[in-house]
Amino acid sequence: MLKLSLSDRMFQIANHLFLALMAVLCILPMVHVLAVSLSSDYATTSYLVKFWPIGWNLDAYKAALESNNFIVAFKVSVLRTVLGTLLTMFLTMLAAYSMSKDDRYFKGRTLYAWFFVFTMLFHGGLIPTYLVVQKSGLTNSIAALILPVAVNVFNVVLMMNFFRGIPKELEEASMIDGAGHFRVLFTIFFPISLPSIATLSLFTMVFHWNSWFDGMIYMNQADQFPLATFLQALIAGFDYTKIGLNPSDLEQLSERSLKSALMFIGIFPILLVYPFLQKYFVKGMTLGSVKE
Amino acid sequence: MKTLNLRKTWPLHVFLLPSVLLLILFNYIPMVGFMIGFEDFKPWLGIFKSPFVGLKHFKFMFHDPVALQVIWNTLLIAVLKIIAGSIAPFAFALLLNEVRMMLFKRTVQSLVYLPHFINWVILGGILTDILSTNGLINQFLGWLGVNNVDFLQSGNWFRATLIISDVWKEFGFGTILYLAAMAGINPNMYEAADIDGANNFQKAIYMTIPAVIPIAIVLVTLSLGNILNAGFDQVFNMYNPLVYPKGDIIDTYVYRVGLQQGSFSLATAVGFFKSVIGFILIATTYRLAAKYANYRIF
């Protein structure tokens, strides 16, 4: 290791300080929200809270968890995330397995590929898509939040590229032993691809957890909203009745801290899966997206 | 021979069937729905019986000052986001690449990726609070002796707010590919440069940057295909009627005119315009990326 010159050392120090500052700037807003959600009515309405709670209390969280509408929205979100992720991953694996085959062996593969990719290039647009979902009778059911987004072509492409890296001999050997394609996919490809599957599953989960617009246009009753849609409605035009609480019960609670608490609860599940996401997603993202 | 092949590959067709059906229903049928833009659509008559009016809505769109302003806003906001959003992750990855302490590097990375995973509903709520007149940022500016800034109420500030907050949300995530490319550079080259007496600055200029430029070009090229996507989620969750003249973009306009005011035909015409231009741009950028950088989707 060569010795660092003075200017190099100065740069290193300045660089570390700058990077640390940027990192802090990325989380400071969330820290502020957490602090506001834990502060007293007086401290929040007079904008005294910075990054540390003033007049510590959990009333906002208590009020949120006592709200029926909030609990219902949370449940809708969990259900949608679980069902949506399972369906999307199942379809992704089936499609990616087929598409990973050689064109000479699987006639029609190229045609399928174009059929899939074209949907990435050209969109129906909001209004026609909305009308189709309405006409298909999915409105007001959780299927309206899952089926239209069930096929993610980008995921199929990533998964397909991964499948192509699996040695052909594995597949051929088990085919000779009498296994069919379904068996090969789930007893050979599936276990080998767990890291990729985990990456894509986590991304799909985050996608479903964060989606709010479909809930807003396809669900007519507020009690069917997923959490993100529910939060959107609350944040856009704060109305205590929307969360099913009586304003007079909440004299000690400021609108700001209740909003902040709800927002923080909305982030919390992401913070829970984040360490797992982190572990995989760098590999998952670089995989197949840019090729040498 | 052919039947023999089908006997082996029929499960592959079956595997693709559910996806194909879903794509037909939710992607291909809405493409046919573009006919609505060429007719005076009446929901009770349906697509095939509503009166056909040709280019009426397109003519209206190109003569309506509001629609033209919306198209201009979209382009301006998207272009500025592409420029700022391309430079920031590149520069950040270069700086982060200079760090030798792995723990520090990893901590910084984990923290800057985080906002990418939170949706604009929540970030919009957070930013609206922080940027309000009494909010954290204005308190800080007041402490520095600067007067209150109307980040979310005045048009030009609103655009700047959109662009800066978008960069803030995404730059960390954007660094992933660059860092991966930098990690792929052969360390022997750096050692050779060390022996030749190159300093860190020279190594960055002559080795690291040239090595990641190809990826940067691919990413910028591909982002040009998104030039009409100025960020619906973000704008929708941060704007208000005060900043419509400067902040309204095609997607928010289509939502308001179409779903809120019920002018399905006009909104579809605007959406069709957006999809066609988007298609041309994306197809072109994919071709360019394939030709010059060997980028392939399949």
Side-chain angles (χ1 to χ4, degrees):
Chain A
M1 186 76 193
L2 296 170
K3 243 181 108 182
L4 290 175
S5 72
L6 181 66
S7 66
D8 278 348
R9 243 179 302 161
M10 297 278 280
F11 168 77
Q12 280 292 340
I13 293 169
N15 191 24
H16 279 73
L17 286 176
F18 176 76
L19 294 171
L21 178 73
M22 294 302 278
V24 168
L25 280 181
C26 280
I27 54 153
L28 223 44
M30 276 69 92
V31 176
H32 175 65
V33 164
L34 182 60
V36 170
S37 72
L38 292 168
S39 296
S40 73
D41 177 30
Y42 171 74
T44 54
T45 44
S46 46
Y47 288 86
L48 293 173
V49 184
K50 305 278 184 299
F51 305 107
W52 195 255
I54 297 175
W56 174 280
N57 71 77
L58 288 168
D59 293 351
Y61 290 90
K62 255 184 243 155
L65 296 176
E66 277 166 13
S67 149
N68 263 330
N69 294 7
F70 174 81
I71 305 281
V72 169
F74 197 90
K75 280 184 187 159
V76 172
S77 265
V78 171
L79 187 66
R80 134 176 223 181
T81 304
V82 171
L83 292 179
T85 306
L86 286 176
L87 180 66
T88 295
M89 290 316 295
F90 185 64
L91 294 178
T92 302
M93 275 190 284
L94 290 181
Y97 176 81
S98 298
M99 299 263 237
S100 69
K101 297 289 169 251
D102 201 292
D103 332 34
R104 270 171 305 179
Y105 172 71
F106 179 32
K107 298 250 164 34
R109 181 200 163 273
T110 318
L111 202 67
Y112 280 114
W114 276 108
F115 180 86
F116 274 67
V117 165
F118 190 70
T119 63
M120 288 169 95
L121 304 177
F122 197 72
H123 294 275
L126 171 64
I127 309 288
T129 310
Y130 171 80
L131 292 173
V132 166
V133 173
Q134 225 188 14
K135 276 267 178 271
S136 59
L138 298 178
T139 324
N140 292 334
S141 85
I142 201 159
L145 308 177
I146 295 171
L147 291 181
V149 292
V151 183
N152 184 324
V153 178
F154 195 70
N155 282 359
V156 173
V157 173
L158 289 179
M159 199 77 232
M160 180 197 80
N161 281 328
F162 190 86
F163 282 167
R164 283 191 167 171
I166 297 175
K168 267 207 140 76
E169 288 73 15
L170 279 174
E171 183 186 338
E172 279 161 10
S174 53
M175 287 264 188
I176 288 167
D177 289 345
H181 283 293
F182 196 78
R183 183 104 179 241
V184 170
L185 172 56
F186 283 97
T187 57
I188 295 175
F189 279 51
F190 181 78
I192 297 180
S193 326
L194 270 180
S196 286
I197 292 169
T199 312
L200 296 181
S201 302
L202 285 166
F203 272 104
T204 313
M205 282 164 78
V206 172
F207 165 81
H208 270 293
W209 184 260
N210 278 337
S211 291
W212 57 279
F213 186 66
D214 45 6
M216 187 171 93
I217 60 174
Y218 298 139
M219 304 306 222
N220 289 332
Q221 275 95 40
D223 62 4
Q224 292 165 321
F225 280 178
L227 186 64
T229 312
F230 174 81
L231 289 176
Q232 206 282 330
L234 262 185
I235 293 166
F238 196 82
D239 179 0
Y240 280 113
T241 56
K242 273 202 181 116
I243 54 165
L245 292 174
N246 187 348
S248 60
D249 298 340
L250 296 165
E251 275 167 7
Q252 291 309 305
L253 198 57
S254 82
E255 179 188 314
R256 253 188 104 210
S257 52
L258 188 51
K259 260 191 190 179
S260 301
L262 291 167
M263 290 194 282
F264 194 76
I265 298 174
I267 302 175
F268 191 67
I270 293 173
L271 296 179
L272 279 186
V273 296
Y274 195 61
F276 302 98
L277 258 178
Q278 270 267 74
K279 205 168 116 192
Y280 290 121
F281 74 117
V282 175
K283 211 196 296 172
M285 277 306 289
T286 45
L287 176 98
S289 47
V290 171
K291 273 160 276 172
E292 308 269 318
Chain B
M1 185 66 201
K2 197 147 199 198
T3 44
L4 184 77
N5 191 266
L6 197 65
R7 205 183 301 152
K8 272 196 269 173
T9 58
W10 69 266
L12 302 178
H13 293 281
V14 175
F15 287 2
L16 286 163
L17 188 66
S19 297
V20 167
L21 291 178
L22 284 168
L23 287 178
I24 288 176
L25 183 57
F26 295 112
N27 293 76
Y28 283 94
I29 292 181
M31 290 179 199
V32 181
F34 272 135
M35 282 164 65
I36 294 168
F38 298 92
E39 49 191 37
D40 272 336
F41 180 70
K42 302 277 186 291
W44 56 91
L45 291 176
I47 295 184
F48 297 106
K49 289 189 183 144
S50 294
F52 183 78
V53 294
L55 295 175
K56 179 184 155 192
H57 301 293
F58 291 89
K59 282 183 189 143
F60 177 83
M61 174 172 85
F62 286 111
H63 289 104
D64 178 28
V66 176
L68 290 176
Q69 179 72 40
V70 162
I71 294 171
W72 168 243
N73 290 346
T74 308
L75 280 172
L76 186 67
I77 293 170
V79 167
L80 291 174
K81 274 187 183 175
I82 289 174
I83 295 172
S86 303
I87 296 170
F90 190 83
F92 194 78
L94 276 177
L95 293 179
L96 201 56
N97 194 46
E98 294 297 322
V99 171
R100 294 284 158 266
M101 294 154 61
M102 282 316 286
L103 183 66
F104 181 80
K105 196 169 168 178
R106 231 174 283 145
T107 314
V108 169
Q109 273 177 275
S110 309
L111 297 181
V112 294
Y113 295 154
L114 184 64
H116 169 81
F117 291 98
I118 304 173
N119 66 3
W120 274 116
V121 168
I122 291 171
L123 290 183
I126 295 176
L127 290 173
T128 312
D129 183 88
I130 289 180
L131 296 169
S132 67
T133 325
N134 299 318
L136 205 59
I137 304 277
N138 270 318
Q139 283 182 28
F140 179 70
L141 290 177
W143 180 69
L144 292 176
V146 180
N147 282 336
N148 261 337
V149 179
D150 284 332
F151 292 103
L152 300 166
Q153 273 85 42
S154 96
N156 289 327
W157 276 114
F158 181 69
R159 276 182 189 158
T161 308
L162 284 182
I163 290 147
I164 293 170
S165 55
D166 185 60
V167 171
W168 169 75
K169 184 180 194 285
E170 301 298 342
F171 83 91
F173 198 70
T175 56
I176 294 177
L177 287 177
Y178 292 120
L179 282 176
M182 289 172 193
I185 301 172
N186 187 348
N188 293 341
M189 282 172 48
Y190 286 108
E191 274 170 34
D194 277 334
I195 292 165
D196 289 343
N199 62 31
N200 283 340
F201 184 69
Q202 285 166 326
K203 277 185 281 182
I205 294 283
Y206 296 110
M207 301 174 68
T208 317
I209 291 180
V212 286
I213 283 276
I215 287 179
I217 291 174
V218 174
L219 293 180
V220 173
T221 311
L222 293 180
S223 70
L224 291 177
N226 276 321
I227 216 151
L228 291 185
N229 287 325
F232 174 83
D233 283 17
Q234 182 193 17
V235 175
F236 190 84
N237 284 301
M238 284 171 74
Y239 80 164
N240 57 68
L242 284 177
V243 291
Y244 281 176
K246 297 279 178 104
D248 205 8
I249 57 171
I250 295 176
D251 291 330
T252 49
Y253 178 79
V254 168
Y255 170 75
R256 282 209 323 279
V257 171
L259 292 188
Q260 284 191 324
Q261 296 165 17
S263 310
F264 287 114
S265 290
L266 176 61
T268 307
V270 178
F272 181 66
F273 167 77
K274 185 189 171 228
S275 289
V276 170
I277 305 285
F279 173 73
I280 295 170
L281 287 168
I282 295 175
T284 312
T285 55
Y286 274 16
R287 275 190 78 94
L288 287 177
K291 196 167 170 194
Y292 294 107
N294 210 18
Y295 175 89
R296 295 269 185 288
I297 316 175
F298 272 99

